[in-house]
Amino acid sequence: NPATDLPIFGAPKTLAVNPTLIKHTKVILAPEDETATGPNYPRTVSLTVDVATGETVSALTVSDSLPAKFQFIAVTNPAGCTAIAMPSTSSPGSTLAFDCGVITGAAGVDRTISFTFYVPLSDSAATPVLDGTTPSPVAITNESSLSGTYQGTPLPPVLGSDVITAKALALRKGGAVV
């Protein structure tokens, strides 16, 4: 009640403001961040680029370093970007890269690139992903980055990563009122 209760003032504080020009996130879309292995269990990766509203970044490149335990399947949404490096669809690992050109930031996320993969029986060195005798879950980290130029100056790398757990069997429980 400002008419009867006077406002309480404290000592003024000085805060530093660090504006963010560009954000990059990476999400592996998998229930409970886990997957069974094999081509019957494809998963989707989502790479987002968000440039500050009204600002322009040029020579924007988005790269995903697929670990040796990921088998690339296909790009499902290039989001207006052009693939400049494409992993093999028959050998795990490698790099997926996109040239996104010039992006001027608008409200919300400016680009969302998607691709699919699965965790194969063996990695790129022909080593089984899971131990056949005691198939303990294996956590796999997938990293991505973006680079570009802002007002003639190269941006420092902007990184994103996510982790998925490979399992011999991934169970889901559900229920419904019938």
Side-chain angles (χ1 to χ4, degrees), residues 20-25 47-52 109-111 146 158-159:
T20 301
L21 172 66
I22 193 166
K23 290 181 184 177
H24 170 57
T25 58
L47 305 168
T48 63
V49 177
D50 186 9
V51 177
V109 172
D110 297 299
R111 298 283 186 280
L146 65 79
V158 180
L159 307 175

Side-chain angles (χ1 to χ4, degrees), residues 45-114:
V45 173
S46 175
L47 305 168
T48 63
V49 177
D50 186 9
V51 177
T53 303
E55 299 301 326
T56 300
V57 175
S58 59
L60 187 70
T61 302
V62 178
S63 299
D64 192 294
S65 300
L66 276 75
K69 295 177 173 121
F70 276 19
Q71 177 58 62
F72 174 77
I73 300 173
V75 174
T76 54
N77 180 17
C81 302
T82 303
I84 55 175
M86 191 76 71
S88 166
T89 57
S90 60
S91 179
S94 195
T95 299
L96 175 62
F98 293 90
D99 177 357
C100 295
V102 177
I103 297 178
T104 299
V109 172
D110 297 299
R111 298 283 186 280
T112 301
I113 299 168
S114 303

Side-chain angles (χ1 to χ4, degrees), residues 1-172:
N1 187 355
T4 57
D5 298 325
L6 297 175
I8 299 171
F9 292 99
K13 300 283 183 189
T14 302
L15 301 174
V17 176
N18 295 318
T20 301
L21 172 66
I22 193 166
K23 290 181 184 177
H24 170 57
T25 58
K26 172 195 198 68
V27 177
I28 299 172
L29 305 169
E32 299 177 14
D33 296 325
E34 63 185 24
T35 187
T37 60
N40 290 339
Y41 301 97
R43 299 296 176 216
T44 300
V45 173
S46 175
L47 305 168
T48 63
V49 177
D50 186 9
V51 177
T53 303
E55 299 301 326
T56 300
V57 175
S58 59
L60 187 70
T61 302
V62 178
S63 299
D64 192 294
S65 300
L66 276 75
K69 295 177 173 121
F70 276 19
Q71 177 58 62
F72 174 77
I73 300 173
V75 174
T76 54
N77 180 17
C81 302
T82 303
I84 55 175
M86 191 76 71
S88 166
T89 57
S90 60
S91 179
S94 195
T95 299
L96 175 62
F98 293 90
D99 177 357
C100 295
V102 177
I103 297 178
T104 299
V109 172
D110 297 299
R111 298 283 186 280
T112 301
I113 299 168
S114 303
F115 69 91
T116 54
F117 76 96
Y118 67 90
V119 176
L121 175 65
S122 298
D123 65 16
S124 61
T127 303
V129 172
L130 299 175
D131 181 332
T133 56
T134 59
S136 298
V138 174
I140 306 168
T141 300
N142 181 214
E143 297 179 345
S144 62
S145 65
L146 65 79
S147 61
T149 303
Y150 177 67
Q151 296 182 349
T153 303
L155 296 173
V158 180
L159 307 175
S161 71
D162 201 0
V163 177
I164 189 167
T165 301
K167 296 183 171 187
L169 179 64
L171 298 174
R172 303 284 170 266

